[in-house]
Amino acid sequence: MDSIKQLKETQPEKAVEKLKAIVAAQGSSEEQVKNKEQAIVLLGELYRDLKKPQDLQQLIVSSRDFLGSISKAKAAKIIRNLVDWFSEIPGALGLQVQVCKDAIDWAVQEKRIFLRQSLETRLCGLYLDNKMYTEALTLIGSLLKELKRLDDKAVLMEVQLLESRVYHALHNLAKSRASLTSARTSANSIYCPPLIQAQLDLQSGILHADEKDYKTAYSYFFETLESFASQDDKRALFGLKYMLLCKIMLNLPDDVFSIINGKLAAKYVGSDIDAMKAVATALEHRSLQEFEESLAKYKKELSDDSIIRSHLAALYDTLLEQNILRVIEPFSRVEIAHVAKLVKLPTLQVESKLSQMILDKVIAGVLDQGSGSLEVFEERTQDKTYDATLETIKNMGNVVESLYTKAATLSL
């Protein structure tokens, strides 16, 4: 097997042929069974590296008879690994869902309950990745009933975390938070592996960020980064990106630069960190143009991440408002085209934003469609005498009520 491992690096096609021969060979001795187990795993890794999802699917199907003859724990581990490796092959998500369903059917036939539950949990995650939320919630519902009956806290915690992620994807924050609380309750009653704890912290951070509580979210993302980094998991990068996002949303671009230049981020330097740095620079300069250039240049790193995309959209609106307010401040009447020119944006977009700001009472003014201009009204300082008078009358009313009550008590 050592020679095949070396061949795997230099001549993968030859290694595939040799491994296929070992997998197809018959034999029941301890050595042959061990070699066959290793061969299936190595062949699966090769198909993953060579981007051959169809061959990987065929390997899972052809290995079932052998996997049915070895211990259930070993077979479950091999099948889960083979199914997971589809995730590293681009465009194989649909096939991975089908393979996972087939594996579940096989586990039901073989009466392997633990393997079935594990694969169904994985299928819930695949449904989530594939945006099949209805199917995910249906499967999660049946799994939760079964797991609560069996009192299997470890798998129950994973399923509840998945349920929280699905509800978050559906923008149902109340149910997402409730599911996460249930997952944390389950985690507190058993030993929680670092990777699962990191995922719980990540989801907690995401929910707090959605509630605009960026300070608390930052602390959760920091815990996520440390947990994933301790296990050398590539998802640590998400923790770091979301930490930087929180600092950006708190309007602390200097903190972003200090984190990026610190020891913590040294091993994650790349386009993802460069993207966050570019956004922080645009924020520091209060430049909408730089902000839009960053979004265009780092589309994959910023716009393809739904969490970052939603928060940056809110930040863009805030930046646009600040820029418009700064531009119109000296004017009582100004052409919309002139405002658009100063903020370097299309006239229609600026006009739409101005109308929204007027409706939100951010600007006291009116749009003159005929002349294509904005008329800004002077801010009227509110006379506080009326409020003070109303407060005095209210207090006098309370005094009279109190005296009336005392008089009624004395008359008795």
Side-chain angles (χ1 to χ4, degrees):
M1 294 303 290
D2 291 335
S3 62
I4 294 176
K5 285 178 183 178
Q6 291 174 359
L7 198 63
K8 177 186 165 189
E9 303 296 330
T10 55
Q11 295 176 294
E13 294 297 341
K14 278 191 178 181
V16 167
E17 293 304 319
K18 288 194 173 186
L19 288 168
K20 283 169 79 174
I22 296 171
V23 171
Q26 299 295 322
S28 56
S29 69
E30 188 177 335
E31 185 68 25
Q32 287 173 318
V33 170
K34 187 179 178 182
N35 284 340
K36 204 165 183 179
E37 287 173 14
Q38 291 180 350
I40 291 171
V41 173
L42 285 172
L43 190 55
E45 287 177 352
L46 271 169
Y47 286 147
R48 175 198 66 192
D49 297 339
L50 294 170
K51 314 296 183 201
K52 293 184 174 180
Q54 301 293 342
D55 291 338
L56 185 54
Q57 180 190 23
Q58 187 56 41
L59 174 64
I60 294 172
V61 174
S62 61
S63 304
R64 282 178 185 167
D65 290 339
F66 170 71
L67 293 171
S69 64
I70 62 175
S71 72
K72 290 184 177 181
K74 278 185 180 179
K77 185 178 179 181
I78 291 170
I79 289 174
R80 282 201 307 272
N81 285 338
L82 292 173
V83 171
D84 285 344
W85 286 335
F86 279 94
S87 302
E88 298 180 40
I89 303 174
L93 188 58
L95 182 60
Q96 188 179 15
V97 170
Q98 187 55 51
V99 168
C100 197
K101 284 181 177 178
D102 293 341
I104 289 168
D105 291 339
W106 178 77
V108 170
Q109 289 173 7
E110 295 288 317
K111 296 181 180 178
R112 302 194 175 204
I113 297 171
F114 175 75
L115 175 60
R116 176 183 59 77
Q117 289 174 348
S118 178
L119 288 171
E120 283 182 343
T121 304
R122 184 73 188 94
L123 183 59
C124 291
L126 293 175
Y127 280 150
L128 174 60
D129 294 338
N130 222 8
K131 296 182 171 56
M132 299 165 69
Y133 303 126
T134 306
E135 292 86 343
L137 287 174
T138 303
L139 185 54
I140 284 169
S142 62
L143 262 176
L144 286 175
K145 285 180 185 176
E146 184 180 355
L147 293 168
K148 283 175 183 175
R149 191 172 65 250
L150 295 170
D151 201 30
D152 188 343
K153 299 283 187 185
V155 184
L156 179 64
M157 172 180 58
E158 287 187 52
V159 176
Q160 286 167 333
L161 177 58
L162 276 169
E163 185 180 36
S164 176
R165 289 176 60 201
V166 172
Y167 278 126
H168 179 264
L170 291 168
H171 305 290
N172 191 333
L173 297 185
K175 285 191 175 181
S176 179
R177 204 177 299 110
S179 298
L180 182 62
T181 304
S182 300
R184 283 199 171 277
T185 305
S186 300
N188 289 336
S189 60
I190 57 166
Y191 166 71
C192 185
L195 287 178
I196 299 296
Q197 185 61 52
Q199 291 176 54
L200 288 169
D201 288 336
L202 180 64
Q203 185 66 10
S204 296
I206 289 169
L207 288 175
H208 278 287
D210 282 345
E211 293 167 356
K212 312 298 181 191
D213 184 3
Y214 293 110
K215 286 185 178 179
T216 308
Y218 177 85
S219 63
Y220 275 118
F221 291 139
F222 184 79
E223 293 293 331
T224 301
L225 172 61
E226 286 198 323
S227 298
F228 278 138
S230 68
Q231 302 295 312
D232 289 325
D233 194 294
K234 61 184 180 182
R235 286 174 289 182
L237 180 61
F238 287 105
L240 180 58
K241 278 176 70 177
Y242 296 156
M243 278 169 61
L244 298 175
L245 176 68
C246 288
K247 290 297 183 184
I248 288 169
M249 297 306 293
L250 287 167
N251 197 17
L252 298 169
D254 290 341
D255 287 5
V256 173
F257 302 135
S258 62
I259 292 169
I260 290 172
N261 296 326
K263 185 181 176 183
L264 195 67
K267 63 190 286 190
Y268 303 106
V269 173
S271 60
D272 289 279
I273 303 305
D274 290 341
M276 302 308 291
K277 188 176 181 179
V279 172
T281 305
L283 177 64
E284 188 179 37
H285 296 161
R286 296 285 172 194
S287 171
L288 274 172
Q289 190 176 2
E290 284 183 33
F291 192 91
E292 288 189 326
E293 285 171 1
S294 301
L295 290 177
K297 184 178 178 182
Y298 299 103
K299 185 177 184 298
K300 182 185 174 186
E301 291 80 2
L302 299 174
S303 301
D304 290 357
D305 187 322
S306 59
I307 307 299
I308 290 177
R309 185 176 64 242
S310 62
H311 290 287
L312 289 188
L315 179 64
Y316 179 82
D317 272 355
T318 306
L319 263 180
L320 180 56
E321 277 189 14
Q322 289 174 352
N323 273 262
I324 289 174
L325 286 171
R326 190 181 73 240
V327 166
I328 67 172
E329 191 176 3
F331 302 100
S332 59
R333 187 179 184 88
V334 59
E335 288 186 357
I336 297 169
H338 182 62
V339 177
K341 184 182 176 183
L342 290 174
V343 296
K344 298 176 183 176
L345 286 174
T347 305
L348 282 174
Q349 185 181 347
V350 172
E351 186 178 344
S352 174
K353 186 62 184 175
L354 282 169
S355 63
Q356 183 189 330
M357 290 169 73
I358 291 168
L359 289 171
D360 292 342
K361 297 184 179 179
V362 177
I363 298 173
V366 66
L367 288 174
D368 187 340
Q369 295 283 356
S371 61
S373 60
L374 167 72
E375 186 178 345
V376 184
F377 304 142
E378 285 186 24
E379 283 190 31
R380 294 181 182 177
T381 53
Q382 190 176 356
D383 193 342
K384 294 181 180 179
T385 308
Y386 299 110
D387 291 332
T389 305
L390 287 170
E391 187 68 24
T392 304
I393 293 169
K394 181 183 174 185
N395 289 334
M396 285 182 68
N398 290 337
V399 170
V400 171
E401 285 289 334
S402 177
L403 288 170
Y404 178 79
T405 305
K406 284 185 178 179
T409 306
L410 290 170
S411 65
L412 291 172

